[in-house]
Amino acid sequence: MSSPLIQSLIEAFQVLPGVGPKSAQRMAFYLLERNRNGASRLADVLRDAVQNVGHCESCRTLTEEKVCQICASNHRDATLLCVVESPADIAVIEASGAFNGKYFVLMGHLSPIDGIGPAELGLELLEARLDKEPIQELIVATNPTVEGEATAHYIQQLADKYSVTVSRPAQGIPVGGELEYLDSSTLSQAFLSRKQLL
Amino acid sequence: MSSPLIQSLIEAFQVLPGVGPKSAQRMAFYLLERNRNGASRLADVLRDAVQNVGHCESCRTLTEEKVCQICASNHRDATLLCVVESPADIAVIEASGAFNGKYFVLMGHLSPIDGIGPAELGLELLEARLDKEPIQELIVATNPTVEGEATAHYIQQLADKYSVTVSRPAQGIPVGGELEYLDSSTLSQAFLSRKQLL
Ligand SMILES: [Zn+2]
Ligand SMILES: [Zn+2]
């Protein structure tokens, strides 16, 4: 490489998921040769996001506001609370149009080996909401993986103290799959035929 | 999406080649959830590169210096000049270790329909170098595509005025292929068995 700065850029692009040395080089040359405006905009927005995106005080999702737009909305059903593992899960559920309640984002799942317990998932905040808000049904939409199921089970027990129905989207989510990659109709079906945990 | 800023970031990532809405969303969430240091560094280096990377005054490749490291080097054979279409081609030729001369980068190929003629490819600068520098052989390593061949033919005629041998890497480059994606050994072979244009 005839330029240390371009070499640094190629290395920097490799922090992106799924981007190896070859794709990173292609990205660097493409932006510098053909789309400097797009590159400038990406640099600016990325800087802005890193500095200003934090977590919603109510649902823990990523947002630049103190409280995210969904939590702040008056047009969402406050009696329904959907628990998901990540902000990407909210995106896919919103795209399905199957749900008009509010969310709670764990930002992960229980994983004792990684030191991720109830505190790391913000479950005290979830309990506080179950205690104070008019929530009637808690839909636990963690991933149908071993960790996601264990997390759902833990949340179900935790919710027993409150007068709330606990359900889990059932039909259509492939076992071992990841919510983030599902199509809207599968997810719609899963929400429609959710079943109450006993 | 519960955050306009994250939505902007997802759109900004889609300027990258091969990155659609889904990958862009994955990149945005990954960086914000798990690698803010990497995101900061990417934003900084990208900003730096957009502001400071220009073209080498001698070979036209992308560089943050007035003259790139290869052009400035005393350890390269100044009697050999290799003409390529893009900076990425230099990277792959350097990786092959098959060439120790200097380069000239067209930053494209002749394409009258797109308004790209000899001036846009810097061919006056190339002629000035053929005129003043001790170049004995000009290796025209444009892509073996229709446009690349036409460009090579034009450069061959242009070089006729100067006492220089004109060659073209021959063996091993798949017809219709792109230099940038070749493996080192194929490219090595192509350089070793280059043939003189008649
Ligand atoms: Zn929120
Ligand atoms: Zn140079």
Side-chain angles (χ1 to χ4, degrees), chain A residues 56-61 63 67-72 103 129, chain B residues 2:
Chain A
C56 172
E57 289 180 358
S58 174
C59 76
R60 292 175 34 105
T61 198
T63 179
V67 172
C68 78
Q69 293 189 348
I70 292 177
C71 285
Y103 292 97
R129 291 187 62 180
Chain B
S2 50

Side-chain angles (χ1 to χ4, degrees), chain A residues 2-6 29 32 36, chain B residues 49 52-70 87:
Chain A
S2 49
S3 155
L5 182 49
I6 297 177
F29 284 132
L32 291 171
R36 295 206 176 205
Chain B
N52 295 310
V53 170
H55 293 276
C56 172
E57 288 180 359
S58 174
C59 76
R60 295 175 31 107
T61 198
L62 293 169
T63 178
E64 67 272 30
E65 314 280 358
K66 291 189 84 166
V67 171
C68 78
Q69 292 188 349
I70 292 177

Side-chain angles (χ1 to χ4, degrees), chain A residues 3 22 36 44 47 53 64, chain B residues 3 36 44 47 53 64:
Chain A
S3 155
K22 263 288 179 190
R36 295 206 176 205
D44 290 346
R47 162 65 48 217
V53 170
E64 68 273 30
Chain B
S3 154
R36 294 205 177 206
D44 289 346
R47 161 65 48 216
V53 170
E64 67 272 30

